[in-house]
Amino acid sequence: MQQNPIDMSHLEALLDFYSSAGVDCFMGDKPLDWYELTNKQAEQFRQKKTVAGPPSVAPTLVAPERPRDARPAQPPASPAAPAATRGEQPSAVLPDAQIIAAARDIAASATSLEELRACLEAFDGCNLKLTAKTLVFADGHPEARLMFVGEAPGRDEDLQGKPFVGRSGQLLDRMLDAIGMERSSTYIANVVPWRPPGNRTPTPQETEICKPFIKRQIELVNPDVLVFLGAASAKTLLGVQEGIRKMRGRWMAYPGSGKEIAAIATYHPAYLLRSPLEKRLSWRDFLAISQSLKK
Ligand code: URA
């Protein structure tokens, strides 16, 4: 049988299509629907079955059972790799509620940002860790008065291990520059510290699992002003349901440790890159942020 010669231009077009769609790493021979897998696993758990596979995506939990007031989980001697990536069978599949409860205990046990980072490095309760290259914990000054919280890292952030370093991060730097500030005097983090594959939106389960860690991070930084970049982080941390157009620019109170933190949501820089006309409203928000820091 005669084989068709490979048409390189078709291959290039296909690769180009994948890369435009956000596919930038090779995972396996068969495509996986991550939402579908999560649902299937939840269903299997509901039926009280032990979930055997697929090993590369089954969530594992290495959460020490400790009372709430016990001292922090000790970071492992070497950074913990998820069980699945160490080639072991995942230990058990726990329902999200248990993973979230464990995440809460682990996050609460951290008494410093360094401990919190170590806890996250050792935490295997979030599937995103399996596909991300690095933990994107934070950038900036740990005692900053101004803290930004985004949604989740993208490709550049995953490669560099720092939040907001890609195109939207560069725009954020320019916006800070416009109010006479530098990123190094602020603290920047995300609700979800691992890049979702293909930059997809984190699932509600992933967000809930990561939420205790960002809440603890905010407590430990204890800023005077908290800025949510985009609706997702504001909705997660303030529980507000409005869209960003309605909620942006309005001061709200975030319950900090021993004080109320002045919080405001503004457009995500990635949105501003797509809708540059909205920059005038962000400019207003940044002026308000700058004024509030002068108090
Ligand atoms: N978008 C985010 O929400 N966070 C980042 O770190 C980068 C882009």
Side-chain angles (χ1 to χ4, degrees), residues 12 39 46 53 84 106 134 138 205 225 240 242 262 277:
E12 272 170 26
N39 291 341
R46 271 194 286 280
I106 295 169
T134 49
Q205 290 95 326
V225 175
V240 284
E242 296 158 303
L277 279 182

Side-chain angles (χ1 to χ4, degrees), residues 72-78 114-115 118-119 121-122:
Q74 284 305 308
S78 61
E114 294 74 40
E115 275 182 14
C119 287
E121 295 276 10

Side-chain angles (χ1 to χ4, degrees), residues 136 150-154 157 162-165 168 190 229 268 270:
V136 178
E151 183 181 27
E157 289 74 22
K162 282 186 184 173
F164 285 95
V165 289
S168 49
N190 283 303
L229 294 171
H268 194 290

